[in-house]
Amino acid sequence: MQVSARGEYAVRISVTLAHGHPRTISASTLAAAQELPRKFAEVILGDLRRAHLVDSVRGVEGGYRLSRAPEDISVGEVLRAVDGPLSEIRGRRPEETSYEGAAVNLPRLWVAARAAVRSVFDGVSLAQAATGEFPLRVAELTAEEDAWMPR
Amino acid sequence: MQVSARGEYAVRISVTLAHGHPRTISASTLAAAQELPRKFAEVILGDLRRAHLVDSVRGVEGGYRLSRAPEDISVGEVLRAVDGPLSEIRGRRPEETSYEGAAVNLPRLWVAARAAVRSVFDGVSLAQAATGEFPLRVAELTAEEDAWMPR
DNA sequence: TTGAATCCTACTTGATAGATAGGATATGCT
DNA sequence: AGCATATCCTATCTATCAAGTAGGATTCAA
């Protein structure tokens, strides 16, 4: 479950937009707020716009705003918009994998792993990510101390 | 949750070793069984050996075998041995992330996502992966039809 | 008309994945 | 001893991609 710089930036930007919703915020302001390169932020906002997750307004007083309510956009949608599918196995979708011999059951494992990832990223809205009020199922995952330990 | 070619190959090799356990199997045989490049399989088996997940025997009749019982090695261990940590956010561990402003709650989200991935990969042994008899919690994730659909 | 913003195209740079090559070294069998 | 079959080691290659930068064209409100 690698999240790229693009992915991380996109979520930080989106959460910032959610926080200020429905005001429009400029790329420079967003970049400054999250301390990320302005030009790169512009590129990412372009991706989000093309995915119809944000609307943009040109000109002075222009900027970006979420195209839907923050409660209605999931973190998963944002990640997919900039990084593609949440889960890939050697560049393929989990359900597209297929093996011979002792490995025949692996597709089910890949699908299970994807489902687990989805349950978190598709289950958390930008509004929840901004407030920190995660769904119970997600909050439980962080409750055990072990979840915070590297392995 | 991207699984690289190395990771996929490593799991396929490990599951094949689990299936034949405790016989030793040569790199060429393993590569042929799973239709992967022999030299690359050797490299991966070297990683698994250095991680103490497999033992090797040199010479004629040599090869590789799991260093522990297939019930006692998780898929997660195999993936970590060849690909490093299961989850990284812009190259950092989830619990090492830290943000300002509207993004302050994101570390909890990253940790939750990692916990979800771990619950699958650390919860499934090579023996289970080989037989397809996954733990109930994992099997449930693949039960819903939606889990098999791309998004 | 001017200033501030988005938007577009192109480019650079470094790292990494995914191999492949060739041979040194170990081991068992005859 | 000699040979076949393995592992093991070091090095190299190549294409792709992530991450970020550059420069300017376009839009729009005051």
Side-chain angles (χ1 to χ4, degrees), chain B residues 27 42 56 58 60 64:
Chain B
E42 284 185 22
S56 61
R58 296 176 82 148
V60 181
Y64 300 86

Side-chain angles (χ1 to χ4, degrees), chain B residues 3-149:
Chain B
V3 175
S4 66
R6 293 173 77 88
E8 194 210 41
Y9 292 173
V11 173
R12 289 163 67 187
I13 288 169
S14 301
V15 164
T16 306
L17 286 174
H19 184 76
H21 195 75
R23 293 196 304 277
T24 92
I25 309 178
S26 74
S28 333
T29 303
L30 289 165
Q34 287 297 317
E35 302 174 83
L36 29 98
R38 189 191 108 245
K39 275 298 201 180
F40 199 19
E42 284 185 22
V43 171
I44 290 165
L45 282 159
D47 288 343
L48 296 177
R49 180 177 50 81
R50 263 168 258 118
H52 306 290
L53 293 177
V54 305
D55 292 331
S56 61
V57 180
R58 296 176 82 148
V60 181
E61 299 287 283
Y64 300 86
R65 78 167 65 89
L66 297 178
S67 64
R68 287 181 270 141
E71 294 76 21
D72 204 42
I73 301 179
S74 71
V75 172
E77 288 180 87
V78 172
L79 288 173
R80 284 192 193 91
V82 297
D83 272 349
L86 291 187
S87 308
E88 284 184 337
I89 311 301
R90 191 161 59 111
R92 287 177 183 73
R93 303 305 203 100
E95 80 276 5
E96 291 170 354
T97 59
S98 165
Y99 310 101
E100 307 265 300
V104 284
N105 295 299
L106 292 183
R108 282 175 59 216
L109 179 64
W110 305 141
V111 168
R114 177 174 66 183
V117 173
R118 284 178 172 178
S119 76
V120 172
F121 287 142
D122 288 338
V124 173
S125 70
L126 293 180
Q128 291 169 331
T131 61
E133 288 166 16
F134 297 116
L136 184 58
R137 189 168 21 84
V138 173
E140 281 172 351
L141 287 169
T142 67
E144 294 149 79
E145 198 174 333
D146 193 59
W148 292 83
M149 306 300 277

Side-chain angles (χ1 to χ4, degrees), chain A residues 89 93-99 103-116, chain B residues 1 120-121 124 128-143 147-148:
Chain A
I89 310 302
R93 305 303 204 104
E95 79 276 5
E96 292 170 353
T97 60
S98 164
Y99 310 101
V104 283
N105 296 298
L106 292 183
R108 282 176 59 216
L109 180 64
W110 305 141
V111 168
R114 175 174 67 181
Chain B
M1 204 266 315
V120 172
F121 287 142
V124 173
Q128 291 169 331
T131 61
E133 288 166 16
F134 297 116
L136 184 58
R137 189 168 21 84
V138 173
E140 281 172 351
L141 287 169
T142 67
W148 292 83

